[in-house]
mmCIF file of all heavy atoms in Angstrom:
data_model
loop_
_atom_site.group_PDB
_atom_site.id
_atom_site.type_symbol
_atom_site.label_atom_id
_atom_site.label_comp_id
_atom_site.label_asym_id
_atom_site.label_seq_id
_atom_site.Cartn_x
_atom_site.Cartn_y
_atom_site.Cartn_z
ATOM 1 N N LEU N 508 4.731 62.967 24.321
ATOM 2 C CA LEU N 508 4.441 61.528 23.985
ATOM 3 C C LEU N 508 5.160 61.193 22.647
ATOM 4 O O LEU N 508 5.726 60.233 22.428
ATOM 5 C CB LEU N 508 3.004 61.220 23.898
ATOM 6 C CG LEU N 508 2.460 59.909 23.478
ATOM 7 C CD1 LEU N 508 3.040 58.704 24.383
ATOM 8 C CD2 LEU N 508 1.042 59.777 23.396
ATOM 9 N N LYS N 509 4.941 62.202 21.593
ATOM 10 C CA LYS N 509 5.597 61.955 20.300
ATOM 11 C C LYS N 509 7.117 61.846 20.476
ATOM 12 O O LYS N 509 7.749 61.100 19.576
ATOM 13 C CB LYS N 509 5.067 63.027 19.438
ATOM 14 C CG LYS N 509 3.653 62.783 18.851
ATOM 15 C CD LYS N 509 3.499 61.501 18.055
ATOM 16 C CE LYS N 509 2.541 60.649 18.553
ATOM 17 N NZ LYS N 509 2.164 59.585 17.777
ATOM 18 N N GLU N 510 7.708 62.587 21.278
ATOM 19 C CA GLU N 510 9.169 62.596 21.453
ATOM 20 C C GLU N 510 9.548 61.241 21.797
ATOM 21 O O GLU N 510 10.490 60.720 21.205
ATOM 22 C CB GLU N 510 9.468 63.657 22.503
ATOM 23 C CG GLU N 510 10.881 64.210 22.393
ATOM 24 C CD GLU N 510 10.992 65.328 23.381
ATOM 25 O OE1 GLU N 510 10.267 66.420 23.306
ATOM 26 O OE2 GLU N 510 11.801 65.062 24.367
ATOM 27 N N TYR N 511 9.044 60.669 22.897
ATOM 28 C CA TYR N 511 9.374 59.326 23.383
ATOM 29 C C TYR N 511 9.016 58.311 22.265
ATOM 30 O O TYR N 511 9.809 57.365 22.111
ATOM 31 C CB TYR N 511 8.648 59.088 24.654
ATOM 32 C CG TYR N 511 9.486 59.623 25.815
ATOM 33 C CD1 TYR N 511 8.982 60.931 26.395
ATOM 34 C CD2 TYR N 511 10.503 58.963 26.243
ATOM 35 C CE1 TYR N 511 9.766 61.417 27.412
ATOM 36 C CE2 TYR N 511 11.268 59.467 27.311
ATOM 37 C CZ TYR N 511 10.794 60.763 27.907
ATOM 38 O OH TYR N 511 11.622 61.262 28.950
ATOM 39 N N GLU N 512 7.911 58.532 21.567
ATOM 40 C CA GLU N 512 7.497 57.612 20.576
ATOM 41 C C GLU N 512 8.660 57.445 19.520
ATOM 42 O O GLU N 512 9.114 56.423 19.085
ATOM 43 C CB GLU N 512 6.186 57.925 19.968
ATOM 44 C CG GLU N 512 5.830 57.036 18.866
ATOM 45 C CD GLU N 512 4.681 57.582 17.972
ATOM 46 O OE1 GLU N 512 3.511 57.604 18.567
ATOM 47 O OE2 GLU N 512 4.965 58.143 16.903
ATOM 48 N N ALA N 513 9.185 58.658 19.045
ATOM 49 C CA ALA N 513 10.161 58.652 17.976
ATOM 50 C C ALA N 513 11.333 58.030 18.539
ATOM 51 O O ALA N 513 12.003 57.196 17.794
ATOM 52 C CB ALA N 513 10.347 60.136 17.692
ATOM 53 N N LEU N 514 11.681 58.315 19.785
ATOM 54 C CA LEU N 514 12.928 57.616 20.414
ATOM 55 C C LEU N 514 12.719 56.089 20.300
ATOM 56 O O LEU N 514 13.600 55.358 19.787
ATOM 57 C CB LEU N 514 12.947 58.138 21.781
ATOM 58 C CG LEU N 514 14.261 57.712 22.502
ATOM 59 C CD1 LEU N 514 15.413 58.668 22.012
ATOM 60 C CD2 LEU N 514 14.134 57.831 24.028
ATOM 61 N N VAL N 515 11.538 55.606 20.791
ATOM 62 C CA VAL N 515 11.389 54.214 20.861
ATOM 63 C C VAL N 515 11.432 53.541 19.396
ATOM 64 O O VAL N 515 12.179 52.601 19.207
ATOM 65 C CB VAL N 515 10.148 53.839 21.629
ATOM 66 C CG1 VAL N 515 9.766 52.352 21.287
ATOM 67 C CG2 VAL N 515 10.080 54.273 22.958
ATOM 68 N N LEU N 516 10.731 54.204 18.513
ATOM 69 C CA LEU N 516 10.610 53.591 17.129
ATOM 70 C C LEU N 516 11.833 53.648 16.335
ATOM 71 O O LEU N 516 12.338 52.709 15.732
ATOM 72 C CB LEU N 516 9.408 54.249 16.448
ATOM 73 C CG LEU N 516 8.058 54.022 16.940
ATOM 74 C CD1 LEU N 516 6.929 54.685 16.088
ATOM 75 C CD2 LEU N 516 7.732 52.513 17.209
ATOM 76 N N ASN N 517 12.486 54.796 16.450
ATOM 77 C CA ASN N 517 13.763 54.885 15.767
ATOM 78 C C ASN N 517 14.814 53.976 16.225
ATOM 79 O O ASN N 517 15.495 53.328 15.592
ATOM 80 C CB ASN N 517 14.339 56.368 15.940
ATOM 81 C CG ASN N 517 13.694 57.368 15.011
ATOM 82 O OD1 ASN N 517 13.025 56.873 14.007
ATOM 83 N ND2 ASN N 517 13.802 58.597 15.335
ATOM 84 N N ASN N 518 14.843 53.856 17.649
ATOM 85 C CA ASN N 518 15.845 52.961 18.125
ATOM 86 C C ASN N 518 15.577 51.509 17.895
ATOM 87 O O ASN N 518 16.484 50.766 17.628
ATOM 88 C CB ASN N 518 15.851 53.177 19.725
ATOM 89 C CG ASN N 518 16.607 54.567 19.954
ATOM 90 O OD1 ASN N 518 17.161 55.189 19.157
ATOM 91 N ND2 ASN N 518 16.520 54.975 21.298
ATOM 92 N N GLN N 519 14.213 51.216 17.867
ATOM 93 C CA GLN N 519 13.861 49.897 17.549
ATOM 94 C C GLN N 519 14.323 49.570 16.078
ATOM 95 O O GLN N 519 14.871 48.476 15.904
ATOM 96 C CB GLN N 519 12.333 49.925 17.550
ATOM 97 C CG GLN N 519 11.813 48.422 17.697
ATOM 98 C CD GLN N 519 11.532 48.141 19.246
ATOM 99 O OE1 GLN N 519 10.852 48.896 19.850
ATOM 100 N NE2 GLN N 519 12.064 47.155 19.792
ATOM 101 N N ASP N 520 14.186 50.495 15.266
ATOM 102 C CA ASP N 520 14.592 50.179 13.746
ATOM 103 C C ASP N 520 16.180 50.152 13.797
ATOM 104 O O ASP N 520 16.700 49.225 13.159
ATOM 105 C CB ASP N 520 14.248 51.486 12.880
ATOM 106 C CG ASP N 520 12.860 51.449 12.570
ATOM 107 O OD1 ASP N 520 12.150 50.374 12.815
ATOM 108 O OD2 ASP N 520 12.275 52.461 11.943
#
Side-chain angles (χ1 to χ4, degrees):
L508 178 60
K509 282 293 126 177
E510 203 175 294
Y511 275 98
E512 176 192 285
L514 189 77
V515 169
L516 296 181
N517 281 343
N518 287 348
Q519 202 94 53
D520 284 350

